[in-house]
Amino acid sequence: SVNQFGGREADVDLLCQSPDRDHHEILMGDQNAMAKVTRLFENGTLELDMRAPIDVATLPMPVPAKDEDGEQRGAAESDEEGARREPLRVQRIAEVLEQGGYENVTWIAKTKAPIVKFVDPVSGLEGDIGIQNRLPIHNTDLLATYAQAHPIVRPFVYLVKHWAKSRGINNPKIGLGFSSYAYVLMALFVLQREGIIPSYQQLPCNAGALVWHQGSWYDCRYHTPAHDTQRDHHNHHQQQQGSAPEVSLASLLLRFFDFYANFFDPERDVVSVREGRLLSKYEKGWHIRSPMASHFWPVEDPFETEIDLSRVMRDREAIDVVLYEFQRAHLMLDAGQSLSSLLEPCDELPTMADTTVRQLV
């Protein structure tokens, strides 16, 4: 699936599904909101209103698939067995991609969801291949829905990503800055605050699925105007035209940097595109730091809500560098400096101090 926020208008997420592993999803029905689920559970038919709120913690555990004779498939892997084999599968996929001429092939096995990252030499598109994990597919579809929500979304998000890359603060491998995905969510959140786009997870659901992954159900449902009836689509379009303010790309960038430099409080706040509002660390239970979860600058994943995307930054210095860059960008734009000056590459880490930031502009 394609999220439409890449450098060449697309980042690609691919899924490798093993035939020896069951995958469990309860999909949204195109016409009927009531989903009757019989295959997944042992206790008969389960009826779910897929357009209503669902507490996934109350859903029963799925059972292994059965063959045509009603017998449990003996060759099916358990979640635990599959998790142990996934790093080897990721490594093998990386080897195949390298042999096929793909560029910048890297495999990341020591994570909850092992992936292979690559660049297609012909199109220049960056891609990820996941093993057994269907969550990124729905996640990418959600981002693609946001990309189509308003004409300013794609250029705005692209500029934010380009700024972060130019200034060297999108290198989560070394703990310096957020991932590209996190910056996309941070940019979308400001668009929600400005009333330009809604939170599609707070509107009546008509897309996505409930997904079973590594021992838990995840609610990956959301609203997409693409599945609206003609009447719903007309009403949505009228509401968007009547409520979305007219704003220039330059003023939107200024508000983006102003929000994270001066308003957002990393000690208190959590960015939540899922809710379309700031949450508190206490709401999430993220006010207690640990060696494995520092929560320095919390950004909630919209589907895997237990994940804080700032977890890649494990020391205070990294946060200071990111904050410095937000302050620098806000002050430069507020002083009327050019976008090209804002995007000048950063060759070395700056000395952290508010006075240094102000002297810069």
Side-chain angles (χ1 to χ4, degrees), residues 87-98:
L88 295 177
R89 288 169 172 156
V90 164
Q91 183 179 6
R92 178 56 183 151
I93 291 172
E95 293 171 353
V96 171
L97 289 175
E98 287 182 334

Side-chain angles (χ1 to χ4, degrees), residues 189-262:
F189 182 76
V190 170
L191 292 174
Q192 289 175 334
R193 284 183 56 85
E194 294 295 324
I196 295 172
I197 61 175
S199 170
Y200 282 126
Q201 289 170 276
Q202 297 303 307
L203 296 178
C205 300
N206 61 5
L210 303 176
V211 180
W212 176 262
H213 178 64
Q214 294 190 350
S216 299
W217 284 103
Y218 290 90
D219 190 347
C220 300
R221 299 171 303 153
Y222 57 93
H223 182 88
T224 174
H227 290 181
D228 283 342
T229 65
Q230 186 172 3
R231 180 177 180 180
D232 290 338
H233 183 75
H234 175 74
N235 291 339
H236 175 77
H237 181 69
Q238 292 287 88
Q239 291 172 1
Q240 284 290 96
Q241 284 193 325
S243 61
E246 292 293 329
V247 62
S248 69
L249 192 57
S251 65
L252 197 55
L253 278 173
L254 180 61
R255 295 177 200 181
F256 172 79
F257 292 122
D258 183 30
F259 173 73
Y260 288 110
N262 302 314

Side-chain angles (χ1 to χ4, degrees), residues 14 17 112 147 155 204 258 261 313:
L14 304 172
Q17 180 72 46
K112 182 180 178 181
D258 183 30
M313 293 186 282

Side-chain angles (χ1 to χ4, degrees), residues 17-69:
Q17 180 72 46
S18 169
D20 293 332
R21 291 284 300 283
D22 294 331
H23 71 274
H24 302 293
E25 288 185 307
I26 306 175
L27 296 169
M28 290 287 306
D30 290 336
Q31 305 297 329
N32 188 358
M34 294 300 296
K36 290 186 178 181
V37 186
T38 57
R39 182 180 64 84
L40 296 180
F41 310 115
E42 290 180 330
N43 58 350
T45 300
L46 174 69
E47 288 197 355
L48 297 172
D49 184 352
M50 290 293 284
R51 296 196 179 189
I54 296 174
D55 182 359
V56 292
T58 65
L59 292 178
M61 180 184 298
V63 297
K66 297 181 179 180
D67 59 25
E68 295 178 355
D69 298 325

Side-chain angles (χ1 to χ4, degrees), residues 98-283:
E98 287 182 334
Q99 293 168 4
Y102 288 89
E103 300 173 348
N104 300 337
V105 177
T106 57
W107 55 285
I108 306 171
K110 294 182 179 180
T111 63
K112 182 180 178 181
I115 61 170
V116 180
K117 304 180 76 68
F118 66 94
V119 175
D120 176 50
V122 178
S123 65
L125 296 178
E126 298 180 1
D128 293 347
I129 299 179
I131 306 292
Q132 302 298 138
N133 184 6
R134 306 185 75 84
L135 296 176
I137 302 299
H138 294 291
N139 194 297
T140 301
D141 289 341
L142 173 64
L143 295 186
T145 299
Y146 277 117
Q148 300 297 324
H150 191 282
I152 206 169
V153 176
R154 288 174 63 185
F156 171 64
V157 173
Y158 175 73
L159 273 176
V160 169
K161 290 177 62 177
H162 184 51
W163 161 78
K165 185 174 182 179
S166 298
R167 300 302 299 171
I169 54 171
N170 71 330
N171 197 341
K173 290 182 181 178
I174 62 172
L176 183 55
F178 293 96
S179 65
S180 175
Y181 170 54
Y183 281 114
V184 170
L185 293 178
M186 292 167 70
L188 292 177
F189 182 76
V190 170
L191 292 174
Q192 289 175 334
R193 284 183 56 85
E194 294 295 324
I196 295 172
I197 61 175
S199 170
Y200 282 126
Q201 289 170 276
Q202 297 303 307
L203 296 178
C205 300
N206 61 5
L210 303 176
V211 180
W212 176 262
H213 178 64
Q214 294 190 350
S216 299
W217 284 103
Y218 290 90
D219 190 347
C220 300
R221 299 171 303 153
Y222 57 93
H223 182 88
T224 174
H227 290 181
D228 283 342
T229 65
Q230 186 172 3
R231 180 177 180 180
D232 290 338
H233 183 75
H234 175 74
N235 291 339
H236 175 77
H237 181 69
Q238 292 287 88
Q239 291 172 1
Q240 284 290 96
Q241 284 193 325
S243 61
E246 292 293 329
V247 62
S248 69
L249 192 57
S251 65
L252 197 55
L253 278 173
L254 180 61
R255 295 177 200 181
F256 172 79
F257 292 122
D258 183 30
F259 173 73
Y260 288 110
N262 302 314
F263 184 84
F264 179 76
D265 183 353
E267 296 297 324
R268 177 194 64 201
D269 300 329
V270 178
V271 170
S272 177
V273 169
R274 171 180 60 94
E275 294 283 346
R277 63 182 178 90
L278 286 175
L279 305 179
S280 73
K281 282 187 173 182
Y282 284 90
E283 285 181 79

